[in-house]
Amino acid sequence: MTRPMLELVGLNKRFGDLTVLHDIHLRVGQGELVFVIGPSGSGKSTMLRCCNRLEEPTSGSVLIDGADITACSPRALNKMRLNLGMVFQGFHLYPHMDAVGNVMLAQVKALGRSKDEARARALEMLDRVGLRHKSDAMPSALSGGQQQRVAIARALALDPKVMLFDEPTSALDPELVGSVLAVMKDLRTSGMTMLVVSHEMGFAREAADRVIFMDGGVIVEEGQPEAIFTNPQAERTRAFLSRVRG
């Protein structure tokens, strides 16, 4: 593995008496695409949200390019979060702002870029996700797939070291999924480090460097996609994949 760009060390998360994550150890190397699968309620999304402290870990550490985000002050946290681009199931675009405005805003507010600089970067990132021609469109005029691609452009415009994707296609109609996955494939080709939670098994098998199977708040099994999908070692993994395949 190349040097870890994202590392989870003994990560635990409890909500009251409920343990959602138990002793998670995970390293994502620079330029690696790691895909996380598992049943609903297995802790996948909570793990992602702990990476940028949208959920506070109960214990353990999260390191971004060697820096511990779980040990930094509130002021330093905002700066550290800029290293992690996050794309959610929902698009969370500002409905009163056009596509380019949505991609500009965080650059101006968080990075202090001038409006001209932010607009140039926004147009560059919209072009990267195939939507430069929609730069003046309002979110209501965009399809779900287009809105999600604007959300990806917004995250990329902040120059993150790692991209986190939390079920980025689950809110999309099936015919719109491909456009978002195509952008993610392009990011992989360009060397972006990515941690992806998704049920898109075909994409995982085709594009991932490693697949992680989670259940009950623990990492049950991990390996190369072909090994996980054709010859899983754990009974829980086999049972899950047989249900997914129908």
Side-chain angles (χ1 to χ4, degrees), residues 36-111:
V36 186
I37 63 174
S40 298
S42 59
K44 307 183 301 296
S45 292
T46 299
M47 181 180 72
L48 274 195
R49 293 172 66 85
C50 283
C51 288
N52 60 6
R53 287 177 58 185
L54 288 176
E55 291 288 355
E56 286 289 347
T58 303
S59 61
S61 300
V62 178
L63 288 80
I64 312 299
D65 197 14
D68 190 349
I69 193 172
T70 47
C72 63
S73 67
R75 177 177 292 184
L77 175 60
N78 289 330
K79 185 176 181 181
M80 288 275 285
R81 277 178 170 154
L82 295 175
N83 292 314
L84 291 164
M86 186 144 190
V87 178
F88 300 90
Q89 175 179 341
F91 320 124
H92 303 302
L93 300 181
Y94 291 103
H96 63 286
M97 302 180 73
D98 59 17
V100 73
N102 268 279
V103 182
M104 286 174 61
L105 184 62
Q107 298 181 66
V108 174
K109 297 291 188 183
L111 297 182

Side-chain angles (χ1 to χ4, degrees), residues 135-204:
S135 61
D136 296 330
M138 303 300 285
S140 60
L142 300 173
S143 70
Q146 290 171 334
Q147 290 185 60
Q148 189 63 292
R149 284 149 63 194
V150 172
I152 293 172
R154 177 179 57 190
L156 291 174
L158 299 175
D159 304 316
K161 294 180 177 179
V162 180
M163 286 287 287
L164 307 174
F165 290 88
D166 188 9
E167 299 284 5
T169 61
S170 62
L172 302 180
D173 292 333
E175 65 268 24
L176 302 177
V177 169
S179 64
V180 174
L181 296 183
V183 171
M184 295 171 69
K185 287 179 185 178
D186 178 68
L187 290 176
R188 182 191 184 281
T189 301
S190 69
M192 175 62 72
T193 305
M194 294 187 282
L195 183 60
V196 179
V197 168
S198 176
H199 289 94
E200 297 290 341
M201 301 297 170
F203 178 71

